[in-house]
Amino acid sequence: MNHLVNGREFDREPAPGQCLRTFLRELGHFGVKKGCDAGDCGACTVWLDGSPVHSCITPAFRADGHEVTTIEGLGRPGAPHPVQRRFEEAPGFQCGFCTAGMIMTSATFTEEQKADLPRALKGNLCRCTGYRAIEDAVKGVGAVETAPPGKAVGTSAGAPAGHDVVTGRAEFTMDTSMEGMLHLKVLHSPHAHARILSVDKSAALAVPGVHRVYTWQDVPRRRFTTALHTDHLVDPDDTVVLDDTVRFTGQRVAAVLADTVGAAEEGCRRLAVEYEVLPAVFDPDAAMTDEAPQLHGSHDPFVRDPAHNILLELHSHVGDVDAGFAAADVIHEGTYFSPRVQHAHLETHGSIAWTQDGRLNVRTSSQSPSIAKVKLEYLFALRPDQVRVFCKRVGGGFGGKQEMITEDLAALAALDTGRPVCLEFTREEEFTTASPRHPMTLTVKLGAKADGTLTALQVRNVSNTGAYGNHGGETLYAGGAAVMIYRCPNKKYDACSVYTNTVPSGALRGYGMTQPAFAVESAMDELARALHLDPLELRRRNIVRPGEPLVALHDGPDDVIFTDDGLATCLDLVGDALARTAGRPPPGPQWLVGTGVASSLHETAPPTEHISEAWVTLGDDLVYELAVGTVEFGEGTSTAHVQIAADQLGTTPSRIRLVQSDTDRTGFDTGAFASAGLFVAGNAVLRAAGAVRDRVLEFAAAHTGVHVVMCAMDDDGVVCGDRRVPLAELVALARKRGIRFRAARKAYGSPRSVTSNTQGFRVAVHRVTGEIRILHSVQAADAGTVVNPAQVRGQIEGGVAQGIGFALTENHHVDDDGAMVNPNLRNYRIPAFADVPRTEVLLVGSTDSVGPARAKGMAECCINPVAPALANAVHDATGVRYRALPLTPERVYGRLPTEQSVPTG
């Protein structure tokens, strides 16, 4: 067969049944991504004779005799296609995994298609951006600015990898090939709870190309937790690499290693496993009864009550809630449910492992390579110098990659065989075996005086941690932030994290606060209506103010610095924005219109230890090398770190060369989660860059005889009094004296500050179908000093879009046997372009942060108020309170009132 790809001929025969996506990647065109392999996401889009097609569902043989164009062939080196240039200038990406497909689709648009992007982009999904930046890119609206020397912070500087992302040259985890690489596939349990009696490997090993079959008998029996935290003791060691007991449908049973993915999959199909099926329990309340099957023994002292499947209990109070309720004029109590939802990052989990010169190397899709390295050392009894873990660009995370779930098996096989090994999840495996958000049922009881003053706040939280306890305890603690936001002399928080025979829950954007925020903010809205108060006004009267303690789980001292009233400003801004649209008519006579608001507070770093180290070196080429361990997966920390360093060094971002997320080339970094990538690692960058600046200034002062206070950095030179000395001269002189301008500095997640967010919606609800249409979305956010306005706006827009999906369409449906029934993007339904409104983003400029340049992270907290604001708006429109998510049309319309009793506002 003759294939013409990007103007180059390939005389190569695809394998029988091979799709065009995998064939193109075998030819080295790694810009063609895998997001679904079902034609749902568009990440694999290429041109076939100039027309966009999803290459994952296009047979490779159909390209014979036709011209194929991939993202790499769209422009020429140094001369990108106009649409590539617009995506870079918008910027129309965050993690960038969907970007090649977005560009290949939109580069074919006519003016008519540009005018109807909801239809034109229906075949391309993005999980990061919220689509507004993509719309700007398609329509040629730019935001990227050129930062002047020493003034990068505050400008919308472009991402360091922006050009490589839009041209398809940015390397993601799986964008490589290695000679002799083997492939792992996993056999997953068909049972929710069973003991493995035997595994017959013989038929699997007889498959041509199969090299190994690994079962629980072939792996280290060291217990660990897959959660990635600096302090591993906050999570239970209740997991092993492969176990002889399976506790959820989809759990690993065995792994097959083969020359090809197909051979490994066939090997899995031929494994003969004998199970003893055990009783299973799926509901956390049922799991705590005496009659429930026990999932775990007492292997880990962290587990609170294994006999009743309780991982952890929290019981804390401040004041006397009984007295508080006795003093209340109005009491509201309600129970609220947030379901299991998935991250749905378009790059699935994956790792490539190999050994070289006696060392284990792991290239992986992770939010924390430093901690993954520590876990691999422990599991395989290796010294720190024997393990390297690193990341290329990561295709989305949202907390889902704060977990070690592919690295261990890949490392096991590489250490065993001495050959490179690849393990890459399918989309179905992502849904059925990766760790989604914890389902939580929260009962909230509020008491207040007639004037709205809170007298008591009580919360009971039952969290379903699933079969294993990764993140089960930490998310339970994090939920206390939902009661921190309001002043109240009497608070009580009771919570438990419970094991069930379901997929283990994990970290997801908002991390244990999104579910309690939905409950508490919905309850506050209901209380306001019972008091006949405006919901915004009730919040204004009770929000915690500067100088007041942030009382959540205890009233002891903490390390949070809180000096500006950012939350009050957020409330006012959202209230004003919603008032501006109050007079707009509904879409039609069958639509009911209402507004809703919700707020949240979020600490700028987790209370557990968070560490980051940054290294800065001025090279002989006069470029500053910045080495920091934080991973880039769309949260924008790479851009922010470069901007912070450029400001400290009085130069431009173009003169900062970034090295990141490689345990051989960077210092320790806890990871990019809990907004610590900016707050903690950013402080390390600021300190390291500042130390290099000071060394250069001191050297220049000594060289010129001018006092150091008269010296200042000036891009590629130093001004000393009335003389400007080129950096080249100083570097050459220092080198002769054996001096190098370099420094390393560490930062920790303490002290901390808080971010504030208020979300507002105006919605229309169709009185017949239950459809919810968002008419106006607005979020006000206290981000401190805004390092990069375009990025901050993009993070908020993306967080709101993700929150809309969680609130309206997404649900991890599990059947009566504990198996997920919709493990694909087509049926799980993350928001597409047509589902997401443009969000009005209003930024509050506060100065109470102890972060770098007084900045606060914004990637995580923006999602927390979205679902309750939507639920409150729906209640305002319909008069019906929905206390369980998602608000699907079938859930909504069944409870809608008759036309005669429908509210008018």
Side-chain angles (χ1 to χ4, degrees):
M1 287 187 177
N2 182 32
H3 290 84
L4 183 64
V5 183
N6 298 332
R8 180 183 171 191
E9 289 191 3
F10 291 87
D11 185 13
R12 178 170 172 177
E13 188 89 8
Q18 186 172 21
C19 71
L20 183 57
R21 181 191 70 81
T22 58
F23 183 64
L24 290 171
R25 287 179 64 85
E26 286 178 2
L27 296 178
H29 301 288
F30 293 116
V32 185
K33 304 301 185 200
K34 183 197 86 170
C36 64
D37 275 340
D40 295 331
C41 75
C44 67
T45 303
V46 300
W47 291 354
L48 199 58
D49 292 336
S51 296
V53 298
H54 288 184
S55 61
C56 70
I57 54 173
T58 301
F61 76 84
R62 289 191 179 173
D64 183 25
H66 298 274
E67 183 176 0
V68 176
T69 306
T70 74
I71 187 69
E72 296 96 334
L74 191 59
R76 300 187 311 277
H81 187 279
V83 174
Q84 290 175 311
R85 188 171 62 250
R86 290 172 194 157
F87 267 76
E88 184 175 3
E89 293 171 351
F93 62 90
Q94 285 180 22
C95 84
F97 199 79
C98 74
T99 305
M102 286 285 181
I103 290 173
M104 296 305 293
T105 298
S106 57
T108 66
F109 286 168
T110 63
E111 291 303 315
E112 183 181 3
Q113 287 174 305
K114 290 180 184 178
D116 189 10
L117 289 181
R119 178 179 294 275
L121 282 174
K122 66 180 181 180
N124 291 79
L125 296 176
C126 174
R127 191 55 152 170
C128 298
T129 64
Y131 298 101
R132 195 275 315 158
I134 291 171
E135 179 181 12
D136 285 352
V138 172
K139 295 184 176 180
V141 179
V144 170
E145 302 171 313
T146 300
K151 297 181 179 179
V153 170
T155 65
S156 294
H163 186 72
D164 287 342
V165 168
V166 302
T167 57
R169 291 171 174 80
E171 272 192 59
F172 290 82
T173 310
M174 294 297 161
D175 295 344
T176 188
S177 59
M178 300 182 71
E179 185 177 353
M181 186 153 69
L182 302 175
H183 297 268
L184 269 174
K185 294 303 293 184
V186 173
L187 176 68
H188 301 283
S189 170
H191 305 293
H193 198 193
R195 187 171 294 110
I196 300 172
L197 302 180
S198 66
V199 180
D200 186 346
K201 305 177 182 180
S202 56
L205 289 169
V207 173
V210 169
H211 292 260
R212 298 282 196 280
V213 175
Y214 301 105
T215 71
W216 66 273
Q217 296 173 308
D218 306 303
V219 301
R221 299 299 294 172
R222 293 193 170 195
R223 306 185 69 83
F224 72 107
T225 174
T226 60
L228 299 180
H229 288 115
T230 302
D231 181 3
H232 73 93
L233 296 177
V234 301
D235 307 299
D237 289 334
D238 57 6
T239 306
V240 290
V241 175
L242 291 169
D243 206 344
D244 59 347
T245 299
V246 290
R247 297 176 175 87
F248 69 97
T249 302
Q251 182 169 337
R252 302 168 173 178
V253 172
V256 177
L257 184 67
D259 290 329
T260 65
V261 171
E265 289 177 336
E266 181 61 22
C268 288
R269 284 189 286 267
R270 295 196 186 186
L271 287 172
V273 183
E274 183 182 1
Y275 298 95
E276 177 191 352
V277 178
L278 303 173
V281 61
F282 308 114
D283 178 76
D285 286 315
M288 290 187 284
T289 64
D290 291 337
E291 296 77 22
Q294 182 178 334
L295 271 68
H296 294 275
S298 302
H299 302 291
D300 193 302
F302 190 89
V303 177
R304 169 69 177 82
D305 182 0
H308 295 91
N309 296 307
I310 298 174
L311 166 64
L312 179 69
E313 285 185 83
L314 294 178
H315 301 287
S316 62
H317 72 278
V318 176
D320 184 340
V321 291
D322 291 335
F325 288 121
D329 295 316
V330 173
I331 295 175
H332 164 73
E333 184 171 5
T335 297
Y336 307 83
F337 176 69
S338 294
R340 184 181 288 106
V341 290
Q342 238 281 338
H343 310 79
H345 34 69
L346 290 191
E347 180 199 48
T348 61
H349 284 81
S351 299
I352 300 171
W354 69 95
T355 57
Q356 184 176 0
D357 300 326
R359 301 184 74 220
L360 173 66
N361 296 267
V362 181
R363 169 174 170 149
T364 188
S365 181
S366 173
Q367 291 177 229
S368 182
S370 292
I371 303 177
K373 175 180 184 293
V374 172
K375 286 187 181 290
L376 291 173
E377 292 164 7
Y378 162 74
L379 283 176
F380 300 107
L382 299 170
R383 301 188 310 270
D385 64 310
Q386 291 178 297
V387 182
R388 174 199 181 200
V389 178
F390 68 101
C391 301
K392 293 295 185 178
R393 195 171 181 91
V394 172
F398 315 113
K401 294 171 181 175
Q402 193 191 341
E403 206 89 44
M404 193 178 79
I405 53 179
T406 57
E407 295 87 347
D408 54 344
L409 278 178
L412 168 77
L415 290 167
D416 178 39
T417 64
R419 291 178 62 177
V421 173
C422 172
L423 172 57
E424 182 180 17
F425 271 20
T426 64
R427 179 56 58 185
E428 181 172 342
E429 286 175 314
E430 198 68 44
F431 276 114
T432 57
T433 68
S435 300
R437 190 192 296 284
H438 293 74
M440 291 185 183
T441 301
L442 292 107
T443 300
V444 180
K445 186 176 181 182
L446 298 172
K449 292 289 191 181
D451 65 357
T453 303
L454 289 177
T455 60
L457 195 169
Q458 181 172 337
V459 176
R460 179 179 184 266
N461 182 359
V462 178
S463 175
N464 185 347
T465 195
Y468 296 93
N470 42 306
H471 299 283
E474 288 295 274
T475 51
L476 210 62
Y477 278 106
V483 304
M484 177 178 71
I485 189 172
Y486 295 113
R487 290 193 311 277
C488 186
N490 307 295
K491 294 182 179 181
K492 193 169 191 291
Y493 184 72
D494 297 295
C496 57
S497 183
V498 185
Y499 287 118
T500 64
N501 292 111
T502 57
V503 60
S505 302
L508 205 163
R509 193 178 203 168
Y511 198 76
M513 287 176 280
T514 312
Q515 308 94 313
F518 169 66
V520 172
E521 289 299 292
S522 296
M524 283 292 287
D525 206 73
E526 295 192 67
L527 178 65
R529 295 176 189 279
L531 290 164
H532 306 290
L533 284 175
D534 177 83
L536 270 173
E537 182 57 30
L538 179 64
R539 288 172 171 82
R540 288 190 188 99
R541 294 182 187 184
N542 289 285
I543 57 173
V544 66
R545 302 281 182 170
E548 298 172 346
L550 290 172
V551 178
L553 303 185
H554 61 84
D555 59 356
D558 58 40
D559 62 347
V560 178
I561 298 173
F562 177 50
T563 59
D564 279 11
D565 204 355
L567 181 54
T569 306
C570 289
L571 287 165
D572 291 341
L573 288 173
V574 168
D576 292 345
L578 291 174
R580 289 198 304 270
T581 65
R584 297 179 185 176
Q590 294 297 319
W591 293 87
L592 313 171
V593 176
T595 61
V597 297
S599 294
S600 69
L601 280 184
H602 185 279
E603 293 163 338
T604 52
T608 50
E609 189 172 17
H610 206 105
I611 306 168
S612 184
E613 183 175 9
W615 306 338
V616 175
T617 303
L618 175 56
D620 292 342
D621 57 358
L622 306 185
V623 173
Y624 296 93
E625 182 175 279
L626 168 62
V628 61
T630 308
V631 178
E632 177 60 61
F633 53 92
E635 78 283 24
T637 53
S638 296
T639 314
H641 291 165
V642 167
Q643 289 180 258
I644 291 165
D647 265 24
Q648 290 295 299
L649 295 162
T651 188
T652 61
S654 62
R655 293 189 55 244
I656 308 292
R657 179 171 56 244
L658 184 64
V659 176
Q660 62 188 141
S661 54
D662 186 333
T663 60
D664 268 11
R665 302 180 64 193
T666 61
F668 184 89
D669 185 273
T670 294
F673 52 84
S675 296
L678 174 68
F679 189 80
V680 182
N683 265 331
V685 168
L686 181 139
R687 293 168 187 172
V692 168
R693 174 202 62 212
D694 292 346
R695 293 199 67 184
V696 171
L697 293 178
E698 289 165 2
F699 187 87
H703 174 60
T704 59
V706 176
H707 196 282
V708 69
V709 299
M710 301 296 292
C711 299
M713 305 295 291
D714 183 28
D715 196 11
D716 60 352
V718 178
V719 175
C720 298
D722 57 1
R723 177 184 172 188
R724 186 178 188 279
V725 184
L727 272 182
E729 180 181 329
L730 294 173
V731 169
L733 183 61
R735 181 53 64 97
K736 288 180 181 179
R737 299 179 184 177
I739 297 172
R740 295 195 69 189
F741 298 121
R742 63 186 310 184
R745 292 292 185 272
K746 294 179 181 178
Y748 302 86
S750 181
R752 301 173 291 156
S753 53
V754 293
T755 59
S756 310
N757 302 75
T758 297
Q759 175 70 38
F761 285 110
R762 184 175 300 281
V763 305
V765 182
H766 198 279
R767 68 173 76 238
V768 177
T769 66
E771 177 191 349
I772 298 171
R773 187 175 296 178
I774 298 172
L775 306 179
H776 185 205
S777 171
V778 56
Q779 184 167 130
D782 172 13
T785 297
V786 178
V787 175
N788 189 303
Q791 282 196 166
V792 169
R793 184 180 65 178
Q795 289 299 318
I796 293 172
E797 290 165 343
V800 172
Q802 202 168 32
I804 289 171
F806 295 165
L808 298 185
T809 63
E810 298 179 40
N811 198 352
H812 193 283
H813 289 286
V814 174
D815 65 17
D816 292 340
D817 296 319
M820 187 188 184
V821 299
N822 57 325
N824 54 68
L825 293 173
R826 185 166 305 178
N827 295 320
Y828 180 75
R829 281 280 288 118
I830 69 172
F833 188 101
D835 301 314
V836 181
R838 290 178 73 96
T839 291
E840 181 182 359
V841 176
L842 306 171
L843 299 177
V844 175
S846 72
T847 59
D848 73 349
S849 177
V850 287
R854 297 193 176 276
K856 303 177 183 181
M858 194 48 59
E860 183 168 22
C861 52
C862 53
I863 199 171
N864 291 330
V866 175
L870 260 173
N872 292 339
V874 170
H875 176 260
D876 187 50
T878 65
V880 180
R881 171 58 59 175
Y882 298 91
R883 294 177 178 167
L885 298 176
L887 303 178
T888 55
E890 59 269 26
R891 175 169 282 165
V892 171
Y893 82 80
R895 294 182 55 208
L896 285 178
T898 62
E899 186 170 345
Q900 289 75 19
S901 61
V902 163
T904 58

